[in-house]
Amino acid sequence: MPYDIERYLNVRSAYGASFGPEGERVSFLMDTTGTPQVWSVDGAGEWPHQRTFEDERVGFATWSPERDELVYGMDEGGNERMQFFRMSGDGSEEVALTSHPDAKHRWGGWSHDGERFAFASNRRDESVFDIYVQGRDETGDDATLVHEGDGWLSVGGWSPEDDRLLVSQAYSNYDQDLYVLDIETGDLDHLTPHEGNVRYTSASWGPNGDALYLCTDEDSDTLSLARLDIATGDMETVVDGGNWSIDGVSLDDETGRLAYSRNVDGYTELTVGELAGETAVEEFPSPDLPGGIAGGVSWGPDAERFAITATGAAVNTNAYVVETETGATERWTYAATAGIPESSFREPELVHVESFDGLEVPGFLTLPDGASEDDPVPVIVSIHGGPEAQRRPSFNPVKQYYLNRGYGYFEPNVRGSAGYGKAYSHLDDVRNRMDSVADIDACVDWLADQDAVDADRLVAMGGSYGGFMVLASLIESPERWAAGVDIVGIANFVTFLENTGEWRRELREAEYGSLDEDREFLQSISPTENVDAIGSPLFVIHGENDPRVPVGEAHQIVEGAREQGVTVRELVFEDEGHGLTKLENKVEAHTAVAEFLDEHV
């Protein structure tokens, strides 16, 4: 049975679970109203209660460890300048904690006594992040600046004694450093001096505050779980990543109980256990979670259980509670599927495509019901952003909508994607940028050989960096594409780097190349420079408030394509940023895209 896009976009997601201080309830984010808001539930299957009623999206919510209150973060119009608010557990009282609407605020966690919280912000200088500590009763300008930063800093949490903060500095998505900041003295202890690109991610304090447990690819191609001794700087492997990365760890610093996830070709393998000494883990039975993708662990009191979010290609996102020692699992939220039968949601096939140089490119191919050699279908090639991201088989209502309309859906993880090791992630760096576009061309060749695919009706669709990939693919192989859909995409690397948020430029230059050294090359591969090669109909969507890829990127490519006589439609939303978050805007955009594809594909 066909359903319209509004129906699919009303398939809800419940995620970002956080246990209340007594473990009696869980808060979570859910988009029932059209934008994510804070909800809470008092038990498995109990009726949920909405706690915030804002027009704007809520980015996170986390309970105080000691009081019946939580802090949540919210930006305005997608501008990513998040502000903090403290709210009583029942939502009856609310206090604005920050009053710097032109600055970004990045949550760093509650102290264990619930008296203070930490965060990073660029309120002093837009291009760098400083570290602040603020009392729960303080508001506005009351936060204490405890460290002036000189780059992209974030706070990883409080030490067990609440006297130190874990601080991370990112130079790129594949190169970080870890520090410990003494709050009283201001001393910053550098823990991870290194050369080259090394990741030190997902760090947690150990039980005695004398070590950190983290994921790192130091001396390895994939991420392993390691213990870092704070006093000596010695790093010891706890669990080796092997062929697949351990990409996340959550550790309760009071009990030593932990959960870590291994990314196996896009699917999650979750291990739950307890530290048995400094570098050994006693494993508990694994929970039985649906869908194949899980993350976002929040420990309850004494770590006797934890909340986690689970999803899958054919399973919409919900929060579950797991008994730590036994793995017994209960579903706590029931985000609605808008009356669409879950049995109608389609699962993908994991495939590997050989590219021009022999590289194996992973991807997920999903075909609609009835696709066959006798009835081949058009296929949307959906390209992820990042580029240091990974398309994984999580629930996507837009994807299910197009499958329901008779389109196939192919999601490649071209070179440069995360999840396949350090070497794979760097294969598209700077001067190798167009090799990732060649991977798309190889995927198109592979799709053309599939009996159930109509090779004359292929659509390139992608957002952010994926939008650049769409435009570049239309330019490099114009004869292969029936249409393209560019969502908040990069059209010119030079103007993008010149105009992106000050705080992001250095991070992005590490991936794409610098304006000082690579300007000529960046200009040469920019779609605006090669727009005369585009021949396929093009749909461009953008948010007016986008701080990452400014809306001028959309205007440039639209103007250039129209001058070449290309059929172009542009849709700009004044109340959105880097992507669409509001239900009415998503309905309008995807309804228009579907009509556009029906006309041209």
Side-chain angles (χ1 to χ4, degrees):
M1 176 178 177
Y3 301 96
D4 62 24
I5 184 60
E6 187 166 6
R7 192 75 167 269
Y8 277 95
L9 290 173
N10 273 290
V11 176
R12 300 308 182 192
S13 297
Y15 59 97
S18 174
F19 260 114
E22 301 299 326
E24 79 287 3
R25 57 183 145 171
V26 165
S27 70
F28 57 96
L29 302 183
M30 190 162 63
D31 53 356
T32 297
T33 63
T35 56
Q37 299 295 306
V38 182
W39 294 66
S40 66
V41 63
D42 294 333
E46 296 289 327
W47 191 260
H49 301 282
Q50 187 175 349
R51 300 306 186 190
T52 60
F53 298 84
E54 307 290 347
D55 294 330
E56 303 291 353
R57 62 179 177 180
V58 173
F60 77 92
T62 180
W63 285 92
S64 162
E66 294 293 335
R67 294 179 177 83
D68 184 32
E69 63 188 24
L70 50 80
V71 166
Y72 70 90
M74 183 173 63
D75 70 358
E76 183 176 350
N79 66 9
E80 300 186 13
R81 292 171 171 83
M82 184 174 289
Q83 307 298 309
F84 298 150
F85 303 83
R86 177 168 53 81
M87 180 176 63
S88 60
D90 61 5
S92 61
E93 298 180 10
E94 183 174 293
V95 176
L97 297 173
T98 59
S99 57
H100 292 263
D102 294 329
K104 292 171 66 74
H105 297 81
R106 302 167 64 210
W107 180 251
W110 288 98
S111 60
H112 291 75
D113 59 10
E115 293 292 336
R116 298 175 291 173
F117 58 90
F119 62 92
S121 178
N122 63 344
R123 58 172 65 170
R124 179 182 61 88
D125 180 339
E126 184 182 14
S127 63
V128 300
F129 285 85
D130 302 325
I131 306 301
Y132 294 83
V133 169
Q134 185 168 330
R136 62 169 293 277
D137 291 322
E138 296 178 331
T139 60
D141 294 322
D142 291 339
T144 301
L145 174 62
V146 294
H147 177 72
E148 288 191 2
D150 59 0
W152 185 279
L153 299 185
S154 57
V155 181
W158 296 73
S159 66
E161 299 300 322
D162 286 339
D163 58 345
R164 293 167 293 162
L165 293 173
L166 170 60
V167 176
S168 173
Q169 180 161 6
Y171 312 108
S172 74
N173 286 348
Y174 279 84
D175 189 19
Q176 299 95 31
D177 263 321
L178 294 178
Y179 300 83
V180 168
L181 174 65
D182 188 300
I183 297 173
E184 293 301 320
T185 67
D187 292 340
L188 190 69
D189 186 13
H190 185 192
L191 302 181
T192 54
H194 66 278
E195 295 181 359
N197 290 331
V198 182
R199 284 178 287 178
Y200 303 97
T201 67
S202 191
S204 297
W205 288 92
N208 299 316
D210 59 351
L212 303 176
Y213 289 82
L214 62 137
C215 301
T216 182
D217 55 8
E218 185 176 279
D219 300 324
S220 174
D221 186 56
T222 59
L223 294 163
S224 295
L225 174 59
R227 178 185 186 273
L228 174 60
D229 188 288
I230 292 175
T232 66
D234 292 339
M235 186 91 70
E236 294 184 84
T237 298
V238 179
V239 182
D240 187 83
N243 294 328
W244 300 104
S245 287
I246 296 174
D247 58 0
V249 59
S250 176
L251 187 147
D252 179 71
D253 63 20
E254 295 182 358
T255 63
R257 291 184 168 183
L258 76 167
Y260 63 87
S261 58
R262 192 187 300 270
N263 180 343
V264 180
D265 230 343
Y267 292 89
T268 300
E269 287 187 359
L270 185 70
T271 300
V272 180
E274 184 174 275
L275 290 175
E278 293 180 346
T279 58
V281 176
E282 176 189 354
E283 293 187 12
F284 298 144
S286 296
D288 184 16
L289 293 165
I293 304 293
V297 169
S298 172
W299 297 98
D302 300 320
E304 293 181 353
R305 55 183 180 167
F306 61 89
I308 191 169
T309 300
T311 184
V315 179
N316 67 315
T317 307
N318 274 286
Y320 297 77
V321 171
V322 177
E323 299 295 326
T324 305
E325 290 190 14
T326 66
T329 304
E330 282 188 300
R331 179 174 172 176
W332 271 46
T333 66
Y334 286 81
T337 62
I340 301 174
E342 294 183 31
S343 60
S344 71
F345 298 144
R346 306 286 293 178
E347 291 271 9
E349 175 189 1
L350 173 63
V351 303
H352 295 85
V353 177
E354 184 175 337
S355 192
F356 68 94
D357 57 357
L359 183 74
E360 292 288 315
V361 174
F364 295 95
L365 175 64
T366 315
L367 295 176
D369 188 32
S372 67
E373 183 178 4
D374 295 329
D375 189 16
V377 297
V379 173
I380 294 170
V381 180
S382 178
I383 310 169
H384 68 68
E388 316 97 321
Q390 182 186 23
R391 190 59 59 86
R392 305 181 71 172
S394 55
F395 189 78
N396 180 350
V398 173
K399 169 183 170 179
Q400 296 294 336
Y401 166 67
Y402 284 113
L403 289 164
N404 184 251
R405 291 179 67 87
Y407 288 86
Y409 217 81
F410 183 65
E411 303 163 281
N413 283 310
V414 298
R415 68 189 67 205
S417 299
Y420 306 99
K422 185 189 300 186
Y424 193 88
S425 71
H426 289 304
L427 290 176
D428 68 337
D429 286 358
V430 192
R431 302 291 170 136
N432 296 322
R433 178 64 44 213
M434 299 307 290
D435 287 351
S436 61
V437 181
D439 287 344
I440 296 295
D441 206 39
C443 290
V444 169
D445 288 339
W446 181 85
L447 285 169
D449 290 336
Q450 307 308 304
D451 292 337
V453 173
D454 186 342
D456 293 326
R457 293 191 291 162
L458 299 181
V459 178
M461 182 184 294
S464 191
Y465 173 77
F468 157 74
M469 292 287 283
V470 166
L471 299 172
S473 296
L474 297 184
I475 289 166
E476 292 297 306
S477 304
E479 74 284 354
R480 308 301 297 271
W481 301 101
V485 181
D486 160 25
I487 305 171
V488 299
I490 300 168
N492 185 298
F493 281 110
V494 173
T495 57
F496 157 67
L497 288 171
E498 287 176 337
N499 297 309
T500 192
E502 291 283 345
W503 59 88
R504 302 187 70 250
R505 186 170 298 113
E506 183 177 348
L507 286 174
R508 295 295 81 209
E509 285 189 331
E511 168 68 31
Y512 297 129
S514 74
L515 291 174
D516 290 339
E517 298 179 7
D518 305 294
R519 180 182 290 264
E520 184 176 345
F521 170 73
L522 292 171
Q523 192 70 31
S524 72
I525 66 169
S526 293
T528 54
E529 292 296 295
N530 305 284
V531 68
D532 57 332
I534 296 179
S536 307
L538 176 64
F539 201 126
V540 178
I541 298 171
H542 221 100
E544 186 70 36
N545 303 319
D546 192 338
R548 301 190 181 200
V549 181
V551 69
E553 296 297 299
H555 298 329
Q556 287 185 73
I557 199 65
V558 167
E559 181 180 354
R562 281 178 177 161
E563 289 178 354
Q564 302 300 319
V566 175
T567 300
V568 183
R569 179 164 181 191
E570 182 182 27
L571 190 56
V572 175
F573 293 92
E574 295 183 354
D575 56 348
E576 296 282 12
H578 194 61
L580 306 183
T581 62
K582 295 180 171 64
L583 177 60
E584 63 271 21
N585 294 338
K586 290 191 284 188
V587 170
E588 179 182 350
H590 289 293
T591 298
V593 169
E595 293 172 352
F596 185 82
L597 296 185
D598 285 350
E599 178 182 355
H600 297 289
V601 179

